[in-house]
Structure formats: structure tokens, C-alpha cells
Amino acid sequence: MKELCDVLQPFAEATDLTQGEKIVTVSSVLPCVLSLNHHLEKLKQQVRFLRSMIHNLQCSLKKRFRGIFVNLKMLSAASGEELPFADPLYIRSAVLDPAFSMMWLQHDVLVTDDIKNDIVDMVKDLILREVRPDTTSQSPGFQEAENENQEEESTGLFSEYRKRRKQDTATNPETQLNNYFGLCCGQACLSFWDANRGILPALFPVAMRAFSVPASSAPVERVFSHGGIIMRPHRARLADKTLSNLIFCKCNTL
């Protein structure tokens, strides 16, 4: 029984992470899948009675999320093969969540260091391709704060150096991405981006587009469940707008 609990406990944790209603969930898909695979790999040599179960779980995991493993070069795919979960969104969202960043690559991607370096380049390219040209400048609020100190720093021996550095940070998405990796260290996702949207203006829209996707249909199904509870037979004369407002209040109450 203890072995069974040890095997399944991380699966319960992954389920909770990917089925939340009021948190970012899509960014946890890739780290959860890779961590579960690594968890099962380590347990193979530790269990006495459940090796067959662990083998079957790992095979099912790799089959269900084959696209993730192929994208990260942990598996190979046949030409023309349809790969579930192959959308680059899962990689982008995980990297742009400061709670995960690139830590999953260090700990749970079971490949050689050379392949990991190739994956880093691939990940950066996936993110930079999503940057829109009109989002590379700093946000108005941040720009106003910068202008207050502009006169103070406009003179001096190395004033041009500072101007160039600020310009590069504001307009170069690649520089912003490198700055992001230096800033993130496990912070809460939405709080981090709210605090740093001014210094990462090119990446902020990319992150928000990615985070808006739910990891599963569970939150949507809960909305319909709430609607069924509210729209009882004795309340059948509720107007559409009233029902919509009641469901909105129910689903967005802290």
C-alpha cells in the first residue's frame, strides 16, 4: 500500500495543478508531465511489487503526451505521425511562468547536455517568434518614470553607454528574454508579470496570450455545473442576463 501511495501521490498533485479555476494552469502541463516521467523512472529501481504498474503508467504517459516528449527530443516520431500535445504553447507557457522557467529542463529532461543546449535555443526561438513588432517599446507608465531621471543621466562621461543600454532593453526582445531569465526565481506567475510588464514589454503580451489558455476543460465544465445548480425548475423564468450575472458572480467569488 505504501508503494502504491508513493507512486500515485504526484499524480494527484499534478491533477490539482492543471485543473485550477483561478490560477494559470497551462504552464504547469509540461513540468508536470516531465516530472511524473522522471518520478516513475526513479521508482523503477526502488519498488518491489509495482514494477509492472510503473512500466504501464510510464508507457501511457509517453503515449498520451507524445508530442511533448518528441518536441524535447526524448522520443522520436515517424514521418507524418500525429502527435498529441505537440503545440509549442506548452513549452512557451512553461518557460514564461517564473515558477518553472527552465528548471524543468535541468531536472526532468533526460537527455544529454548537448541536446539540452539545442532545446534552449529552440525554446528562445519559439518565444521570440511570437513577439509582435508593435510591443517592443516600453509601456507608457514605465516610460514616464524613466523620463523623470533622463535629465540627470543625460550628461557625464558614460552617459551614452547608459542610453544605449536602456534602448537595447526596451527595443530588443532577445535582450528582454535574457533579462527575464535573470529576474525569475520561482515567483507567482501573474504577480511577477504585473510587476515587470514595464521592463519586459515585448514578452508581456506573449505571456498573457499563453496563460489565457486553460490546461483542461474542467473549469469550463464547472461553469455549466454552477449554471445547472442556479437554474432550478422553480427558477425557470430567470432572464438570460440575470442567469449570466449570477453565474459570473458565483464563478468569480474569491
mmCIF file of all heavy atoms in Angstrom, residues 130-174:
data_model
loop_
_atom_site.group_PDB
_atom_site.id
_atom_site.type_symbol
_atom_site.label_atom_id
_atom_site.label_comp_id
_atom_site.label_asym_id
_atom_site.label_seq_id
_atom_site.Cartn_x
_atom_site.Cartn_y
_atom_site.Cartn_z
ATOM 1 N N GLU A 130 6.910 34.775 -31.397
ATOM 2 C CA GLU A 130 5.574 35.239 -31.015
ATOM 3 C C GLU A 130 5.537 36.729 -30.693
ATOM 4 O O GLU A 130 4.459 37.288 -30.474
ATOM 5 C CB GLU A 130 5.087 34.455 -29.788
ATOM 6 C CG GLU A 130 4.783 33.001 -30.067
ATOM 7 C CD GLU A 130 3.609 32.836 -31.012
ATOM 8 O OE1 GLU A 130 2.549 33.424 -30.749
ATOM 9 O OE2 GLU A 130 3.760 32.121 -32.020
ATOM 10 N N VAL A 131 6.698 37.361 -30.630
ATOM 11 C CA VAL A 131 6.752 38.782 -30.289
ATOM 12 C C VAL A 131 6.250 39.605 -31.467
ATOM 13 O O VAL A 131 6.680 39.412 -32.607
ATOM 14 C CB VAL A 131 8.191 39.201 -29.927
ATOM 15 C CG1 VAL A 131 8.270 40.709 -29.714
ATOM 16 C CG2 VAL A 131 8.650 38.468 -28.673
ATOM 17 N N ARG A 132 5.358 40.528 -31.193
ATOM 18 C CA ARG A 132 4.824 41.406 -32.230
ATOM 19 C C ARG A 132 5.653 42.682 -32.303
ATOM 20 O O ARG A 132 6.053 43.225 -31.269
ATOM 21 C CB ARG A 132 3.363 41.742 -31.932
ATOM 22 C CG ARG A 132 2.447 40.521 -31.983
ATOM 23 C CD ARG A 132 1.034 40.873 -31.584
ATOM 24 N NE ARG A 132 0.151 39.711 -31.660
ATOM 25 C CZ ARG A 132 -1.108 39.706 -31.246
ATOM 26 N NH1 ARG A 132 -1.631 40.802 -30.711
ATOM 27 N NH2 ARG A 132 -1.842 38.607 -31.352
ATOM 28 N N PRO A 133 5.882 43.193 -33.509
ATOM 29 C CA PRO A 133 6.739 44.385 -33.652
ATOM 30 C C PRO A 133 6.248 45.596 -32.877
ATOM 31 O O PRO A 133 7.048 46.408 -32.424
ATOM 32 C CB PRO A 133 6.708 44.653 -35.163
ATOM 33 C CG PRO A 133 6.361 43.340 -35.778
ATOM 34 C CD PRO A 133 5.451 42.662 -34.804
ATOM 35 N N ASP A 134 4.926 45.733 -32.698
ATOM 36 C CA ASP A 134 4.396 46.927 -32.040
ATOM 37 C C ASP A 134 4.444 46.839 -30.523
ATOM 38 O O ASP A 134 3.941 47.720 -29.834
ATOM 39 C CB ASP A 134 2.951 47.177 -32.478
ATOM 40 C CG ASP A 134 2.047 45.993 -32.153
ATOM 41 O OD1 ASP A 134 2.578 44.899 -31.915
ATOM 42 O OD2 ASP A 134 0.819 46.179 -32.138
ATOM 43 N N THR A 135 5.050 45.777 -29.959
ATOM 44 C CA THR A 135 5.100 45.639 -28.498
ATOM 45 C C THR A 135 6.516 45.732 -27.962
ATOM 46 O O THR A 135 6.758 45.389 -26.815
ATOM 47 C CB THR A 135 4.511 44.283 -28.067
ATOM 48 O OG1 THR A 135 5.276 43.218 -28.663
ATOM 49 C CG2 THR A 135 3.067 44.173 -28.489
ATOM 50 N N THR A 136 7.450 46.192 -28.766
ATOM 51 C CA THR A 136 8.844 46.199 -28.326
ATOM 52 C C THR A 136 9.225 47.442 -27.544
ATOM 53 O O THR A 136 10.308 47.513 -26.985
ATOM 54 C CB THR A 136 9.786 46.080 -29.534
ATOM 55 O OG1 THR A 136 9.493 47.134 -30.457
ATOM 56 C CG2 THR A 136 9.604 44.738 -30.215
ATOM 57 N N SER A 137 8.347 48.444 -27.497
ATOM 58 C CA SER A 137 8.659 49.652 -26.735
ATOM 59 C C SER A 137 8.117 49.534 -25.325
ATOM 60 O O SER A 137 7.216 48.753 -25.045
ATOM 61 C CB SER A 137 8.057 50.881 -27.417
ATOM 62 O OG SER A 137 6.661 50.742 -27.514
ATOM 63 N N GLN A 138 8.652 50.351 -24.432
ATOM 64 C CA GLN A 138 8.244 50.303 -23.038
ATOM 65 C C GLN A 138 6.831 50.826 -22.875
ATOM 66 O O GLN A 138 6.357 51.648 -23.645
ATOM 67 C CB GLN A 138 9.203 51.136 -22.188
ATOM 68 C CG GLN A 138 10.600 50.529 -22.101
ATOM 69 C CD GLN A 138 11.566 51.472 -21.434
ATOM 70 O OE1 GLN A 138 11.435 52.676 -21.543
ATOM 71 N NE2 GLN A 138 12.542 50.918 -20.754
ATOM 72 N N SER A 139 6.145 50.347 -21.849
ATOM 73 C CA SER A 139 4.784 50.794 -21.581
ATOM 74 C C SER A 139 4.792 52.256 -21.162
ATOM 75 O O SER A 139 5.770 52.754 -20.619
ATOM 76 C CB SER A 139 4.167 49.937 -20.466
ATOM 77 O OG SER A 139 4.895 50.096 -19.270
ATOM 78 N N PRO A 140 3.669 52.992 -21.389
ATOM 79 C CA PRO A 140 3.636 54.429 -21.090
ATOM 80 C C PRO A 140 3.978 54.752 -19.644
ATOM 81 O O PRO A 140 4.728 55.679 -19.370
ATOM 82 C CB PRO A 140 2.188 54.810 -21.428
ATOM 83 C CG PRO A 140 1.752 53.795 -22.430
ATOM 84 C CD PRO A 140 2.453 52.528 -22.046
ATOM 85 N N GLY A 141 3.432 53.980 -18.703
ATOM 86 C CA GLY A 141 3.696 54.262 -17.299
ATOM 87 C C GLY A 141 5.161 54.127 -16.955
ATOM 88 O O GLY A 141 5.739 54.943 -16.239
ATOM 89 N N PHE A 142 5.774 53.074 -17.483
ATOM 90 C CA PHE A 142 7.194 52.869 -17.213
ATOM 91 C C PHE A 142 8.031 53.938 -17.900
ATOM 92 O O PHE A 142 9.026 54.411 -17.361
ATOM 93 C CB PHE A 142 7.606 51.478 -17.699
ATOM 94 C CG PHE A 142 9.014 51.108 -17.340
ATOM 95 C CD1 PHE A 142 9.324 50.663 -16.068
ATOM 96 C CD2 PHE A 142 10.034 51.207 -18.273
ATOM 97 C CE1 PHE A 142 10.625 50.319 -15.732
ATOM 98 C CE2 PHE A 142 11.333 50.867 -17.945
ATOM 99 C CZ PHE A 142 11.624 50.422 -16.671
ATOM 100 N N GLN A 143 7.614 54.347 -19.104
ATOM 101 C CA GLN A 143 8.363 55.361 -19.833
ATOM 102 C C GLN A 143 8.345 56.693 -19.096
ATOM 103 O O GLN A 143 9.348 57.409 -19.053
ATOM 104 C CB GLN A 143 7.769 55.528 -21.237
ATOM 105 C CG GLN A 143 8.586 56.444 -22.144
ATOM 106 C CD GLN A 143 9.956 55.869 -22.430
ATOM 107 O OE1 GLN A 143 10.088 54.712 -22.797
ATOM 108 N NE2 GLN A 143 10.981 56.677 -22.229
ATOM 109 N N GLU A 144 7.195 57.042 -18.484
ATOM 110 C CA GLU A 144 7.116 58.288 -17.736
ATOM 111 C C GLU A 144 8.076 58.279 -16.553
ATOM 112 O O GLU A 144 8.730 59.280 -16.255
ATOM 113 C CB GLU A 144 5.684 58.502 -17.248
ATOM 114 C CG GLU A 144 4.707 58.823 -18.369
ATOM 115 C CD GLU A 144 3.288 58.916 -17.857
ATOM 116 O OE1 GLU A 144 3.111 58.825 -16.619
ATOM 117 O OE2 GLU A 144 2.368 59.083 -18.673
ATOM 118 N N ALA A 145 8.155 57.136 -15.878
ATOM 119 C CA ALA A 145 9.074 57.038 -14.744
ATOM 120 C C ALA A 145 10.521 57.176 -15.193
ATOM 121 O O ALA A 145 11.348 57.776 -14.500
ATOM 122 C CB ALA A 145 8.865 55.704 -14.029
ATOM 123 N N GLU A 146 10.820 56.623 -16.369
ATOM 124 C CA GLU A 146 12.180 56.735 -16.881
ATOM 125 C C GLU A 146 12.508 58.171 -17.267
ATOM 126 O O GLU A 146 13.634 58.636 -17.083
ATOM 127 C CB GLU A 146 12.341 55.819 -18.103
ATOM 128 C CG GLU A 146 12.409 54.345 -17.756
ATOM 129 C CD GLU A 146 13.684 54.007 -17.016
ATOM 130 O OE1 GLU A 146 14.771 54.161 -17.595
ATOM 131 O OE2 GLU A 146 13.589 53.627 -15.844
ATOM 132 N N ASN A 147 11.526 58.890 -17.804
ATOM 133 C CA ASN A 147 11.782 60.258 -18.253
ATOM 134 C C ASN A 147 12.124 61.188 -17.104
ATOM 135 O O ASN A 147 12.796 62.203 -17.296
ATOM 136 C CB ASN A 147 10.562 60.795 -19.010
ATOM 137 C CG ASN A 147 10.398 60.130 -20.363
ATOM 138 O OD1 ASN A 147 11.358 59.585 -20.911
ATOM 139 N ND2 ASN A 147 9.186 60.160 -20.903
ATOM 140 N N GLU A 148 11.663 60.864 -15.900
ATOM 141 C CA GLU A 148 11.955 61.713 -14.754
ATOM 142 C C GLU A 148 13.449 61.777 -14.462
ATOM 143 O O GLU A 148 13.957 62.773 -13.962
ATOM 144 C CB GLU A 148 11.205 61.192 -13.524
ATOM 145 C CG GLU A 148 9.695 61.323 -13.645
ATOM 146 C CD GLU A 148 8.996 60.768 -12.424
ATOM 147 O OE1 GLU A 148 9.710 60.287 -11.502
ATOM 148 O OE2 GLU A 148 7.751 60.809 -12.372
ATOM 149 N N ASN A 149 14.143 60.675 -14.761
ATOM 150 C CA ASN A 149 15.580 60.633 -14.487
ATOM 151 C C ASN A 149 16.427 60.892 -15.730
ATOM 152 O O ASN A 149 17.650 60.812 -15.674
ATOM 153 C CB ASN A 149 15.965 59.265 -13.909
ATOM 154 C CG ASN A 149 15.276 59.003 -12.592
ATOM 155 O OD1 ASN A 149 15.078 59.917 -11.801
ATOM 156 N ND2 ASN A 149 14.902 57.755 -12.361
ATOM 157 N N GLN A 150 15.769 61.190 -16.840
ATOM 158 C CA GLN A 150 16.504 61.316 -18.094
ATOM 159 C C GLN A 150 17.478 62.488 -18.058
ATOM 160 O O GLN A 150 18.614 62.385 -18.514
ATOM 161 C CB GLN A 150 15.526 61.482 -19.259
ATOM 162 C CG GLN A 150 16.207 61.471 -20.615
ATOM 163 C CD GLN A 150 15.196 61.483 -21.741
ATOM 164 O OE1 GLN A 150 13.997 61.623 -21.502
ATOM 165 N NE2 GLN A 150 15.676 61.340 -22.951
ATOM 166 N N GLU A 151 17.028 63.631 -17.508
ATOM 167 C CA GLU A 151 17.887 64.803 -17.487
ATOM 168 C C GLU A 151 19.110 64.574 -16.615
ATOM 169 O O GLU A 151 20.208 65.026 -16.926
ATOM 170 C CB GLU A 151 17.098 66.013 -16.987
ATOM 171 C CG GLU A 151 16.004 66.458 -17.952
ATOM 172 C CD GLU A 151 15.322 67.723 -17.469
ATOM 173 O OE1 GLU A 151 15.760 68.243 -16.410
ATOM 174 O OE2 GLU A 151 14.390 68.175 -18.128
ATOM 175 N N GLU A 152 18.925 63.853 -15.503
ATOM 176 C CA GLU A 152 20.033 63.613 -14.590
ATOM 177 C C GLU A 152 21.119 62.765 -15.245
ATOM 178 O O GLU A 152 22.300 62.912 -14.943
ATOM 179 C CB GLU A 152 19.529 62.916 -13.324
ATOM 180 C CG GLU A 152 18.525 63.739 -12.541
ATOM 181 C CD GLU A 152 18.035 62.986 -11.323
ATOM 182 O OE1 GLU A 152 18.589 61.903 -11.045
ATOM 183 O OE2 GLU A 152 17.116 63.477 -10.650
ATOM 184 N N GLU A 153 20.706 61.856 -16.139
ATOM 185 C CA GLU A 153 21.663 60.932 -16.727
ATOM 186 C C GLU A 153 22.056 61.322 -18.148
ATOM 187 O O GLU A 153 22.713 60.562 -18.843
ATOM 188 C CB GLU A 153 21.070 59.518 -16.732
ATOM 189 C CG GLU A 153 20.774 59.001 -15.337
ATOM 190 C CD GLU A 153 20.284 57.567 -15.371
ATOM 191 O OE1 GLU A 153 20.053 57.057 -16.489
ATOM 192 O OE2 GLU A 153 20.133 56.965 -14.302
ATOM 193 N N SER A 154 21.632 62.493 -18.598
ATOM 194 C CA SER A 154 21.926 62.896 -19.972
ATOM 195 C C SER A 154 23.339 63.424 -20.139
ATOM 196 O O SER A 154 23.801 63.621 -21.255
ATOM 197 C CB SER A 154 20.923 63.963 -20.429
ATOM 198 O OG SER A 154 21.025 65.114 -19.597
ATOM 199 N N THR A 155 24.006 63.693 -19.024
ATOM 200 C CA THR A 155 25.379 64.182 -19.095
ATOM 201 C C THR A 155 26.288 63.255 -18.315
ATOM 202 O O THR A 155 25.836 62.416 -17.548
ATOM 203 C CB THR A 155 25.469 65.605 -18.508
ATOM 204 O OG1 THR A 155 25.033 65.579 -17.144
ATOM 205 C CG2 THR A 155 24.609 66.575 -19.303
ATOM 206 N N GLY A 156 27.561 63.425 -18.502
ATOM 207 C CA GLY A 156 28.513 62.589 -17.787
ATOM 208 C C GLY A 156 29.383 61.809 -18.751
ATOM 209 O O GLY A 156 29.096 61.697 -19.950
ATOM 210 N N LEU A 157 30.436 61.260 -18.215
ATOM 211 C CA LEU A 157 31.435 60.597 -19.037
ATOM 212 C C LEU A 157 30.873 59.402 -19.791
ATOM 213 O O LEU A 157 31.219 59.155 -20.942
ATOM 214 C CB LEU A 157 32.603 60.155 -18.144
ATOM 215 C CG LEU A 157 33.824 59.574 -18.856
ATOM 216 C CD1 LEU A 157 34.421 60.607 -19.809
ATOM 217 C CD2 LEU A 157 34.860 59.126 -17.839
ATOM 218 N N PHE A 158 29.979 58.636 -19.131
ATOM 219 C CA PHE A 158 29.458 57.416 -19.747
ATOM 220 C C PHE A 158 27.951 57.498 -20.004
ATOM 221 O O PHE A 158 27.256 56.488 -19.997
ATOM 222 C CB PHE A 158 29.754 56.205 -18.854
ATOM 223 C CG PHE A 158 31.220 56.018 -18.586
ATOM 224 C CD1 PHE A 158 31.733 56.209 -17.311
ATOM 225 C CD2 PHE A 158 32.084 55.673 -19.605
ATOM 226 C CE1 PHE A 158 33.075 56.045 -17.059
ATOM 227 C CE2 PHE A 158 33.434 55.503 -19.362
ATOM 228 C CZ PHE A 158 33.942 55.698 -18.087
ATOM 229 N N SER A 159 27.449 58.696 -20.233
ATOM 230 C CA SER A 159 26.009 58.868 -20.426
ATOM 231 C C SER A 159 25.509 58.121 -21.660
ATOM 232 O O SER A 159 24.420 57.554 -21.658
ATOM 233 C CB SER A 159 25.661 60.355 -20.539
ATOM 234 O OG SER A 159 26.352 60.941 -21.644
ATOM 235 N N GLU A 160 26.304 58.105 -22.728
ATOM 236 C CA GLU A 160 25.887 57.414 -23.947
ATOM 237 C C GLU A 160 25.793 55.911 -23.730
ATOM 238 O O GLU A 160 24.961 55.233 -24.336
ATOM 239 C CB GLU A 160 26.851 57.719 -25.092
ATOM 240 C CG GLU A 160 26.840 59.170 -25.545
ATOM 241 C CD GLU A 160 25.461 59.590 -26.042
ATOM 242 O OE1 GLU A 160 24.800 58.760 -26.696
ATOM 243 O OE2 GLU A 160 25.052 60.723 -25.766
ATOM 244 N N TYR A 161 26.644 55.383 -22.848
ATOM 245 C CA TYR A 161 26.579 53.952 -22.554
ATOM 246 C C TYR A 161 25.236 53.609 -21.927
ATOM 247 O O TYR A 161 24.589 52.625 -22.279
ATOM 248 C CB TYR A 161 27.689 53.549 -21.582
ATOM 249 C CG TYR A 161 29.093 53.648 -22.129
ATOM 250 C CD1 TYR A 161 29.344 54.158 -23.394
ATOM 251 C CD2 TYR A 161 30.172 53.236 -21.358
ATOM 252 C CE1 TYR A 161 30.636 54.259 -23.886
ATOM 253 C CE2 TYR A 161 31.468 53.327 -21.843
ATOM 254 C CZ TYR A 161 31.695 53.846 -23.105
ATOM 255 O OH TYR A 161 32.966 53.936 -23.575
ATOM 256 N N ARG A 162 24.817 54.441 -20.961
ATOM 257 C CA ARG A 162 23.563 54.177 -20.265
ATOM 258 C C ARG A 162 22.378 54.288 -21.213
ATOM 259 O O ARG A 162 21.447 53.494 -21.160
ATOM 260 C CB ARG A 162 23.405 55.135 -19.081
ATOM 261 C CG ARG A 162 24.369 54.858 -17.932
ATOM 262 C CD ARG A 162 23.982 55.656 -16.703
ATOM 263 N NE ARG A 162 24.190 57.083 -16.896
ATOM 264 C CZ ARG A 162 25.334 57.713 -16.613
ATOM 265 N NH1 ARG A 162 26.367 57.028 -16.151
ATOM 266 N NH2 ARG A 162 25.444 59.005 -16.790
ATOM 267 N N LYS A 163 22.422 55.292 -22.088
ATOM 268 C CA LYS A 163 21.333 55.448 -23.049
ATOM 269 C C LYS A 163 21.230 54.236 -23.956
ATOM 270 O O LYS A 163 20.146 53.732 -24.234
ATOM 271 C CB LYS A 163 21.554 56.706 -23.894
ATOM 272 C CG LYS A 163 21.392 58.006 -23.132
ATOM 273 C CD LYS A 163 21.657 59.179 -24.050
ATOM 274 C CE LYS A 163 21.568 60.505 -23.301
ATOM 275 N NZ LYS A 163 21.892 61.645 -24.189
ATOM 276 N N ARG A 164 22.366 53.756 -24.418
ATOM 277 C CA ARG A 164 22.364 52.603 -25.326
ATOM 278 C C ARG A 164 21.842 51.358 -24.618
ATOM 279 O O ARG A 164 21.070 50.589 -25.178
ATOM 280 C CB ARG A 164 23.781 52.357 -25.855
ATOM 281 C CG ARG A 164 23.903 51.135 -26.754
ATOM 282 C CD ARG A 164 23.017 51.268 -27.989
ATOM 283 N NE ARG A 164 23.112 50.098 -28.822
ATOM 284 C CZ ARG A 164 24.031 49.925 -29.761
ATOM 285 N NH1 ARG A 164 24.940 50.863 -29.984
ATOM 286 N NH2 ARG A 164 24.045 48.826 -30.490
ATOM 287 N N ARG A 165 22.244 51.179 -23.361
ATOM 288 C CA ARG A 165 21.805 50.006 -22.628
ATOM 289 C C ARG A 165 20.293 50.019 -22.423
ATOM 290 O O ARG A 165 19.616 49.019 -22.587
ATOM 291 C CB ARG A 165 22.522 49.927 -21.276
ATOM 292 C CG ARG A 165 22.194 48.661 -20.492
ATOM 293 C CD ARG A 165 23.051 48.531 -19.243
ATOM 294 N NE ARG A 165 22.815 49.591 -18.292
ATOM 295 C CZ ARG A 165 23.680 50.546 -17.996
ATOM 296 N NH1 ARG A 165 24.853 50.587 -18.606
ATOM 297 N NH2 ARG A 165 23.399 51.473 -17.101
ATOM 298 N N LYS A 166 19.742 51.193 -22.079
ATOM 299 C CA LYS A 166 18.298 51.295 -21.879
ATOM 300 C C LYS A 166 17.547 51.086 -23.188
ATOM 301 O O LYS A 166 16.503 50.451 -23.227
ATOM 302 C CB LYS A 166 17.949 52.659 -21.285
ATOM 303 C CG LYS A 166 18.394 52.808 -19.838
ATOM 304 C CD LYS A 166 17.968 54.147 -19.283
ATOM 305 C CE LYS A 166 18.389 54.272 -17.830
ATOM 306 N NZ LYS A 166 17.987 55.571 -17.262
ATOM 307 N N GLN A 167 18.095 51.617 -24.272
ATOM 308 C CA GLN A 167 17.442 51.450 -25.564
ATOM 309 C C GLN A 167 17.409 49.985 -25.966
ATOM 310 O O GLN A 167 16.403 49.480 -26.456
ATOM 311 C CB GLN A 167 18.178 52.273 -26.623
ATOM 312 C CG GLN A 167 17.525 52.192 -28.002
ATOM 313 C CD GLN A 167 18.288 52.993 -29.032
ATOM 314 O OE1 GLN A 167 19.388 53.464 -28.768
ATOM 315 N NE2 GLN A 167 17.714 53.149 -30.200
ATOM 316 N N ASP A 168 18.510 49.280 -25.753
ATOM 317 C CA ASP A 168 18.556 47.867 -26.100
ATOM 318 C C ASP A 168 17.539 47.076 -25.290
ATOM 319 O O ASP A 168 16.855 46.197 -25.800
ATOM 320 C CB ASP A 168 19.964 47.308 -25.850
ATOM 321 C CG ASP A 168 20.971 47.821 -26.872
ATOM 322 O OD1 ASP A 168 20.530 48.370 -27.892
ATOM 323 O OD2 ASP A 168 22.183 47.684 -26.629
ATOM 324 N N THR A 169 17.437 47.392 -23.987
ATOM 325 C CA THR A 169 16.496 46.676 -23.134
ATOM 326 C C THR A 169 15.064 46.918 -23.571
ATOM 327 O O THR A 169 14.219 46.033 -23.513
ATOM 328 C CB THR A 169 16.683 47.115 -21.668
ATOM 329 O OG1 THR A 169 18.031 46.852 -21.285
ATOM 330 C CG2 THR A 169 15.748 46.362 -20.749
ATOM 331 N N ALA A 170 14.788 48.142 -24.033
ATOM 332 C CA ALA A 170 13.418 48.483 -24.385
ATOM 333 C C ALA A 170 13.010 47.930 -25.739
ATOM 334 O O ALA A 170 11.851 47.613 -25.954
ATOM 335 C CB ALA A 170 13.255 50.002 -24.376
ATOM 336 N N THR A 171 13.943 47.837 -26.674
ATOM 337 C CA THR A 171 13.552 47.527 -28.043
ATOM 338 C C THR A 171 13.988 46.147 -28.516
ATOM 339 O O THR A 171 13.530 45.699 -29.553
ATOM 340 C CB THR A 171 14.148 48.573 -29.000
ATOM 341 O OG1 THR A 171 15.581 48.554 -28.884
ATOM 342 C CG2 THR A 171 13.638 49.966 -28.659
ATOM 343 N N ASN A 172 14.847 45.487 -27.803
ATOM 344 C CA ASN A 172 15.372 44.211 -28.261
ATOM 345 C C ASN A 172 14.705 43.066 -27.499
ATOM 346 O O ASN A 172 14.999 42.849 -26.323
ATOM 347 C CB ASN A 172 16.893 44.179 -28.046
ATOM 348 C CG ASN A 172 17.526 42.954 -28.675
ATOM 349 O OD1 ASN A 172 16.859 41.949 -28.917
ATOM 350 N ND2 ASN A 172 18.810 43.031 -28.933
ATOM 351 N N PRO A 173 13.813 42.313 -28.136
ATOM 352 C CA PRO A 173 13.137 41.217 -27.433
ATOM 353 C C PRO A 173 14.099 40.161 -26.902
ATOM 354 O O PRO A 173 13.858 39.580 -25.841
ATOM 355 C CB PRO A 173 12.217 40.633 -28.514
ATOM 356 C CG PRO A 173 11.999 41.758 -29.473
ATOM 357 C CD PRO A 173 13.286 42.516 -29.492
ATOM 358 N N GLU A 174 15.176 39.913 -27.626
ATOM 359 C CA GLU A 174 16.131 38.904 -27.159
ATOM 360 C C GLU A 174 16.785 39.340 -25.853
ATOM 361 O O GLU A 174 16.986 38.528 -24.939
ATOM 362 C CB GLU A 174 17.190 38.656 -28.228
ATOM 363 C CG GLU A 174 18.128 37.507 -27.886
ATOM 364 C CD GLU A 174 19.061 37.156 -29.019
ATOM 365 O OE1 GLU A 174 18.962 37.798 -30.090
ATOM 366 O OE2 GLU A 174 19.884 36.247 -28.840
#
